[in-house]
């Protein structure tokens, strides 16, 4: 039965401050195991069962253990690139006094806890490693170089909060550089974050962190919005319209034990520094103690060179055909690459529009795929806008229906974080993928439907397994773009709506 147990088929135990960790790869040190617990609070004991690839970790409180289990259960942490699994132990406390092989883990435990919790004993531990704790404050200055992907306040929070309690963050642009100031509750945490993160990249090959200590001893934050936040004060105003609709204020303000779940951008965007992957600080602070922080971007389009304002989710779309373009058409087309919250066609210049996406990474994705695309006979241009949000017209203000709010639209493709749509984002193509086709609809019905909208049908095939889905090839990419705008969500009656997206296949 021993085998069964280690596979985790045992009934879940009631919460305990002792956690059982299994499937630990050989070669993992005690310090690395301890570092899994550090973001959640003080670790008070450790027992390594080396031969079995298991360990017991004792937290200072049950609350800390519960936070840790809740955080790692949906996304198991990785040690040496292997997932490890954490559950409550049957033990209520650990006794490791006379274990002859536990000396090194105990030393690691004391060292790491000292760093994390500001124990003066740390100085000797670091001095022994050839490093001396400098006298410095708890405010870090962070410069992000080579910003290819948007870096948001929440991404910085998620990365740095693994090293201790982050009090405040302020982001700004200076000397054409993306910079931030970040204040920890404790100077030791700031020191550790700098040691561990300086020189690492958030995404493979870009968004490199350069970190040093700020001369400031305390940050003043006036507004809680996309650019600045004081995590100790929920009462601050949002400020001068700088807050975009989707700001993560929906994520509860951080308390000592909350750690935002891992950032999951759409595909083509690497997840941010997956710290649950890399485990937090470990002693000694050797370079690379965290393992590589970079995560390979999956299929990131190669032409990302528009710096714009990192973090903006509003697009400026220009060179549109004023006779043909509508807010709904832009909503449907840009909605292929993210959830569109608002669209505004300029009242005096109908060839220009603003499109507000749910977040900055979706805005960047839309630029990559739609900038340079032909739409109604013109080559459309899409870049990041200087606006943070699209204002809705006031009551009685003349607008002629050119500004629309779609934030609660049922047509958003990316509402559900597990949606398959995230894996099916492709550039505009002449072949469209059709789904949700009712059984009564024939090949001829579909061909006639597309022809009636001005398309030339060059090819068609139903998926063999499933006549709910089909591919249709049209005369050109531009035709397919127009057809997608016209026919996505087409009503076949009886509440059956056609779904249309671009396909990577040809027929």
């Amino acid at each position: 039965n021993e085998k069964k147990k280690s596979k985790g088929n045992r009934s879940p135990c009631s919460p305990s401050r002792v956690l059982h960790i299994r499937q630990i790869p050989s070669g993992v040190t005690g310090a690395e195991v301890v570092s899994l617990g550090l973001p959640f609070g003080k670790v008070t004991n450790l027992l390594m069962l080396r031969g079995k690839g298991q360990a017991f970790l004792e937290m200072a409180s049950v609350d800390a253990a519960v936070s840790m289990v809740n955080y790692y259960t949906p996304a198991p942490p990785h040690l040496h690139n292997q997932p490890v699994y954490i559950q409550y132990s049957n033990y209520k406390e650990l006794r490791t006094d006379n274990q002859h092989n536990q000396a090194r883990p105990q030393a690691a435990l004391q060292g790491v806890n000292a760093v994390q919790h500001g124990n003066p004993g740390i100085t000797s531990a670091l001095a022994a490693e050839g490093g001396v704790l400098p006298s410095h404050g708890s405010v870090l200055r962070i410069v992000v170089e080579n910003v290819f992907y948007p870096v948001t306040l929440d991404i910085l929070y998620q990365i740095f909060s693994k090293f201790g309690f982050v009090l405040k963050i302020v982001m700004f642009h200076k000397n054409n550089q993306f910079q931030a100031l970040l204040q920890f509750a404790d100077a030791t945490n700031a020191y550790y974050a700098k040691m561990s993160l300086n020189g690492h990249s958030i995404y493979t090959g870009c968004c490199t962190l350069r970190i040093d200590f700020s001369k400031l001893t305390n940050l003043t934050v006036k507004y809680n919005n996309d650019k600045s936040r004081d995590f100790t004060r929920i009462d601050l105003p949002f400020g001068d319209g700088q807050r975009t609709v989707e700001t993560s204020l929906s994520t509860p303000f951080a308390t000592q034990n909350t750690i935002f779940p891992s950032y999951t951008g759409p595909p083509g965007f690497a997840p941010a520094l997956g710290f649950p992957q890399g485990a937090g600080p470990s002693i000694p602070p050797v370079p690379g103690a965290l393992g590589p922080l970079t995560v390979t971007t999956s299929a990131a389009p190669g032409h990302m060179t528009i710096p714009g304002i990192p973090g903006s989710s509003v697009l400026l779309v220009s060179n549109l055909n004023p006779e043909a373009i509508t807010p709904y058409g832009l909503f449907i087309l840009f909605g292929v690459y993210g959830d569109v919250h608002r669209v505004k066609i300029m009242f005096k210049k109908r060839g220009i529009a603003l499109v507000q996406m749910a977040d900055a990474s979706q805005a960047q994705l839309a630029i990559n795929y739609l900038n340079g695309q032909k739409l109604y006979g013109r080559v459309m241009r899409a870049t990041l806008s200087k606006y943070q949000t699209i204002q809705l017209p006031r009551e009685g203000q003349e607008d002629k229906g050119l500004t629309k709010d779609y934030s609660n639209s049922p047509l958003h493709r990316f509402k559900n974080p597990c949606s398959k749509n995230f894996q099916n984002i492709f550039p505009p193509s002449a072949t469209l993928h059709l789904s949700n086709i009712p059984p009564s609809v024939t090949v001829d019905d579909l061909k006639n439907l597309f022809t009636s909208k001005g398309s030339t049908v060059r090819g068609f095939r139903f998926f063999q397994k499933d006549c709910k889905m089909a591919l249709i090839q049209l005369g050109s990419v531009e035709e397919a773009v127009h057809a997608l705008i016209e026919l996505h969500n087409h009503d076949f009656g009886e509440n059956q709506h056609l779904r249309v997206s671009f396909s990577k296949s040809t027929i």
Side-chain angles (χ1 to χ4, degrees):
N1 197 26
E2 199 47 51
K3 262 214 169 85
K4 250 202 172 134
K5 266 194 174 168
S6 69
K7 287 283 182 289
N9 297 343
R10 59 174 75 183
S11 58
C13 312
S14 58
S16 153
R17 63 194 184 96
V18 180
L19 300 171
H20 177 230
I21 305 172
R22 55 202 168 76
Q23 294 190 21
I24 300 172
S26 62
V28 167
T29 65
E32 287 171 298
V33 174
V34 169
S35 67
L36 295 177
L38 285 177
F40 306 92
K42 188 165 182 189
V43 177
T44 47
N45 213 337
L46 170 71
L47 175 63
M48 297 283 284
L49 306 175
R50 290 199 185 280
K52 290 187 168 177
Q54 298 181 29
F56 289 97
L57 192 70
E58 179 187 88
M59 302 299 287
S61 69
V62 173
D63 282 353
V66 170
S67 298
M68 184 170 163
V69 169
N70 290 349
Y71 183 66
Y72 286 136
T73 299
H78 287 58
L79 291 175
H80 296 198
N81 298 322
Q82 301 286 321
V84 297
Y85 299 95
I86 298 176
Q87 61 198 40
Y88 300 117
S89 159
N90 296 319
Y91 297 114
K92 295 299 168 215
E93 61 175 327
L94 280 184
R95 295 217 176 89
T96 52
D97 308 337
N98 39 18
Q99 299 275 345
H100 59 281
N101 63 344
Q102 295 300 320
R104 273 174 59 214
Q106 290 306 305
L109 179 72
Q110 275 141 20
V112 186
N113 267 318
V115 169
Q116 188 76 0
H117 301 282
N119 181 324
I122 179 61
T123 340
S124 55
L126 281 177
E129 293 297 330
V132 181
L133 263 189
S135 53
H136 58 78
S138 56
V139 180
L140 295 176
R141 187 176 73 103
I142 300 154
V143 175
V144 185
E145 293 175 353
N146 198 4
V147 182
F148 257 33
Y149 299 115
V151 176
T152 63
L153 191 142
D154 288 326
I155 289 174
L156 290 178
Y157 176 84
Q158 183 201 329
I159 293 166
F160 283 84
S161 63
K162 302 296 181 206
F163 294 89
F165 188 25
V166 174
L167 299 181
K168 301 168 188 174
I169 303 178
V170 179
M171 302 194 315
F172 53 95
H173 272 81
K174 187 175 172 185
N175 311 333
N176 278 337
Q177 283 182 315
F178 176 94
Q179 300 195 19
L181 292 168
L182 183 144
Q183 182 174 349
F184 276 103
D186 185 276
T188 321
N189 302 138
Y191 174 74
Y192 230 81
K194 175 183 183 299
M195 291 284 292
S196 301
L197 295 178
N198 188 29
H200 281 290
S201 297
I202 302 178
Y203 303 101
T204 305
C206 64
C207 299
T208 306
L209 299 169
R210 301 280 172 229
I211 304 170
D212 53 37
F213 292 107
S214 164
K215 296 187 175 62
L216 297 170
T217 52
N218 186 32
L219 295 182
T220 311
V221 174
K222 294 188 181 134
Y223 303 113
N224 279 335
N225 59 31
D226 281 5
K227 299 282 173 265
S228 62
R229 218 169 293 169
D230 181 336
F231 292 98
T232 63
R233 293 193 49 196
I234 298 182
D235 55 318
L236 292 178
F238 298 130
D240 42 10
Q242 285 303 298
R243 172 182 172 246
T244 55
V245 172
E246 86 293 346
T247 294
S248 312
L249 294 172
S250 52
T251 356
F253 271 130
T255 56
Q256 190 109 17
N257 285 330
T258 23
I259 289 175
F260 289 171
S262 289
Y263 167 82
T264 48
F269 285 78
L273 277 164
F275 262 102
Q277 261 61 24
S282 59
I283 292 253
V286 286
L290 287 164
L293 301 181
T294 47
V295 184
T296 329
T297 53
S298 54
H303 47 269
M304 294 202 150
T305 49
I306 307 155
I309 303 171
S312 171
S313 57
V314 179
L315 300 168
L316 176 69
V317 186
S318 55
N319 203 34
L320 296 168
N321 181 335
E323 306 301 314
I325 201 65
T326 62
Y328 178 78
L330 289 170
F331 164 67
I332 292 295
L333 178 58
F334 281 76
V336 172
Y337 300 105
D339 292 338
V340 175
H341 283 197
R342 291 179 181 176
V343 178
K344 180 187 188 78
I345 292 176
M346 296 304 188
F347 189 70
K348 296 208 168 109
K349 293 186 180 164
R350 300 287 169 96
I352 298 177
L354 295 172
V355 177
Q356 181 171 330
M357 308 298 286
D359 63 39
S361 53
Q362 293 182 4
Q364 190 66 59
L365 212 55
I367 288 173
N368 298 336
Y369 287 118
L370 294 176
N371 181 40
Q373 175 56 51
K374 265 185 104 171
L375 180 64
Y376 303 124
R378 295 198 178 184
V379 176
M380 170 171 60
R381 292 283 161 232
T383 61
L384 288 173
S385 152
K386 63 176 191 285
Y387 295 103
Q388 293 289 319
T389 182
I390 293 176
Q391 301 292 338
L392 292 176
R394 291 189 291 282
E395 279 299 309
Q397 193 178 350
E398 193 188 3
D399 177 68
K400 297 209 164 132
L402 294 176
T403 308
K404 295 279 188 200
D405 184 86
Y406 294 105
S407 45
N408 295 318
S409 168
L411 295 186
H412 287 167
R413 296 177 188 238
F414 304 99
K415 279 200 299 270
N416 174 357
C418 307
S419 164
K420 279 227 174 79
N421 294 334
F422 281 112
Q423 282 117 54
N424 295 322
I425 295 180
F426 302 113
S429 61
T431 308
L432 295 171
H433 179 276
L434 311 180
S435 58
N436 219 26
I437 303 167
S440 57
V441 172
T442 65
V443 175
D444 286 344
D445 294 335
L446 286 165
K447 285 184 176 173
N448 293 340
L449 176 64
F450 277 80
T451 312
S452 74
K453 300 295 179 188
S455 301
T456 326
V457 178
R458 293 271 165 84
F460 183 92
R461 74 175 169 84
F462 272 118
F463 280 58
Q464 277 146 349
K465 292 199 296 284
D466 185 355
C467 284
K468 285 192 200 140
M469 294 202 284
L471 292 177
I472 189 164
Q473 190 165 341
L474 304 182
S476 67
V477 175
E478 189 181 0
E479 268 190 28
V481 169
H482 299 168
L484 181 136
I485 290 172
E486 292 279 325
L487 293 172
H488 179 64
N489 201 42
H490 172 79
D491 190 353
F492 288 115
E494 297 180 25
N495 213 6
Q496 298 269 357
H497 293 266
L498 180 66
R499 293 183 58 88
V500 184
S501 34
F502 296 117
S503 171
K504 66 169 191 279
S505 316
T506 50
I507 297 173

